[in-house]
Amino acid sequence: MKTKQDKKAYSPTSTTFQLNDKNYYSNQANWHFQSKSIFWNFMQCEAAALAQLKHEYQPFSNPTPLLFGNYLHSYFESKQAHERFIKANENSLYKYGNKEKGLKSDFKQAQKCIKALENEERFRLLYQGQKEVIVKGKIFGVDWMGKIDCLDLKHKCFFDLKTVDDIHKKHYNKRENGYTNFAVDRGYDMQMAIYKELIKQTFDVECTPFIIAVSKQSTPDKAMLSIPEWRMDDRMNQIEELQPHIQRVKNGEEEPNYCGHCDYCRSHKIMNEITSIDDIELY
Ligand SMILES: [Zn+2]
């Protein structure tokens, strides 16, 4: 279950750090370990990712999708986890923060998504492994961490729950040089490749990843998705290629690149160049 990162910035120089449930989403953990989400941030914009890691910049983000995801994840983690989550977030989940007034429409939708999955016999049978398992290991010489939604070592597979607006929506993606699906667009193929490797290093078991996707449509769509090996190999190659520079940027040994078009870059932009309309960069 994701929580907002702690407020205190952390110095990367501290040496001893024990990764556990309590500090997994902390800033300390992000300085000691690489993770898909931080690596992905660096891939989008190094300058913004570094500033965020140093707590110099906090991008505006709507908290609802995160709460929505956590509502669903905590439900399938355990009854206690879900109760804990609801208690901690009563103000955000209920209308006027009042339990008597009922859930806000977003979370009524989350309930619908839960029902849609629960009504699937196959999902109920498959989603039986250990929940929220922390894994760690070295990927191309760097310490990485991951948290597995549902790990079934006995059947050598693991599952990741993803909520999505529409499973079949197309997304323009520069690297794919055209339209692609939500999973590739959000780098879930990279996440699954990393998790597979970290599970192997933590438990010495080769597991097959599956994404369980559920849509936020009024009648939720659902799908169980596999990830082709070539996509995971491709993502590992991408990590190998990009990681050395990203690590040096993280360690302050190299300057970050500015993507030039994210909120952070726009807020630091100085209008001192003239660009021909034929040279306006398109994303
Ligand atoms: Zn940027």
Side-chain angles (χ1 to χ4, degrees):
M1 199 167 66
K2 284 180 191 169
T3 49
K4 276 192 179 165
Q5 287 187 355
D6 51 7
K7 291 275 179 288
K8 219 166 56 207
Y10 190 76
S11 136
T13 48
S14 162
T15 48
T16 50
F17 180 73
Q18 287 295 322
L19 187 65
N20 58 42
D21 281 330
K22 292 204 167 56
N23 62 28
Y24 182 85
Y25 291 110
S26 69
N27 193 247
Q28 286 104 308
N30 289 331
W31 279 109
H32 283 273
F33 291 88
Q34 191 54 272
S35 66
K36 188 266 174 173
S37 57
I38 301 291
F39 196 81
W40 193 254
N41 286 350
F42 272 93
M43 281 171 61
Q44 314 311 310
C45 179
E46 294 174 7
L50 186 68
Q52 212 179 326
L53 211 49
K54 288 180 170 174
H55 284 162
E56 293 165 1
Y57 164 69
Q58 187 60 53
F60 170 77
S61 70
N62 179 357
T64 304
L66 184 68
L67 282 170
F68 189 103
N70 285 347
Y71 192 96
L72 198 96
H73 273 85
S74 64
Y75 183 87
F76 289 111
E77 183 186 346
S78 69
K79 201 167 179 253
Q80 296 87 323
H82 193 55
E83 278 166 6
R84 255 197 326 268
F85 167 77
I86 287 184
K87 214 170 165 97
N89 294 284
E90 268 181 6
N91 284 339
S92 313
L93 300 176
Y94 294 105
K95 287 177 194 158
Y96 311 103
N98 183 347
K99 213 169 172 171
E100 261 102 74
K101 305 259 181 214
L103 281 172
K104 287 182 185 168
S105 62
D106 281 304
F107 305 107
K108 278 190 192 153
Q109 178 65 37
Q111 294 267 41
K112 268 193 190 178
C113 293
I114 288 171
K115 282 251 152 43
L117 288 176
E118 257 190 341
N119 289 339
E120 285 291 325
E121 197 190 354
R122 202 167 155 79
F123 171 78
R124 289 201 308 272
L125 288 172
L126 284 172
Y127 205 75
Q128 291 296 339
Q130 210 188 328
K131 310 289 166 25
E132 304 283 328
V133 182
I134 290 176
V135 285
K136 51 187 183 176
K138 279 203 190 292
I139 297 179
F140 306 116
V142 172
D143 286 317
W144 280 71
M145 61 178 180
K147 208 176 208 188
I148 317 297
D149 283 351
C150 178
L151 174 62
D152 187 344
L153 289 171
K154 202 170 124 204
H155 298 101
K156 298 187 175 180
C157 57
F158 67 97
F159 303 93
D160 208 84
L161 281 177
K162 298 293 188 197
T163 55
V164 55
D165 293 340
D166 177 348
I167 292 172
H168 302 281
K169 195 164 110 183
K170 58 184 179 184
H171 299 261
Y172 182 76
N173 186 288
K174 216 175 180 186
R175 185 166 185 259
E176 293 283 315
N177 200 18
Y179 288 106
T180 188
N181 58 67
F182 77 97
V184 172
D185 191 58
R186 295 190 197 166
Y188 293 159
D189 48 354
M190 176 180 276
Q191 189 185 359
M192 295 301 108
I194 293 161
Y195 285 8
K196 189 180 151 91
E197 178 59 28
L198 296 180
I199 291 169
K200 196 165 87 185
Q201 291 186 29
T202 309
F203 299 103
D204 203 19
V205 182
E206 283 258 12
C207 287
T208 306
F210 294 99
I211 292 168
I212 311 256
V214 58
S215 81
K216 299 178 182 175
Q217 288 154 304
S218 55
T219 304
D221 195 1
K222 63 240 156 171
M224 191 157 80
L225 307 166
S226 65
I227 301 92
E229 282 294 330
W230 74 266
R231 282 213 179 267
M232 290 195 279
D233 291 345
D234 176 51
R235 288 303 198 180
M236 287 312 250
N237 291 339
Q238 202 182 7
I239 293 174
E240 188 173 21
E241 183 196 330
L242 302 175
Q243 180 164 264
H245 168 66
I246 288 177
Q247 280 306 113
R248 288 195 289 272
V249 169
K250 218 175 145 182
N251 295 336
E253 295 153 9
E254 276 177 26
E255 288 299 312
N257 292 319
Y258 288 71
C259 77
H261 64 270
C262 71
D263 284 337
Y264 180 78
C265 288
R266 284 202 303 271
S267 70
H268 287 76
K269 208 164 185 174
I270 300 161
M271 203 173 70
N272 58 0
E273 281 173 16
I274 294 170
T275 308
S276 157
I277 56 169
D278 284 340
D279 297 329
I280 294 174
E281 259 190 285
L282 301 176
Y283 297 106

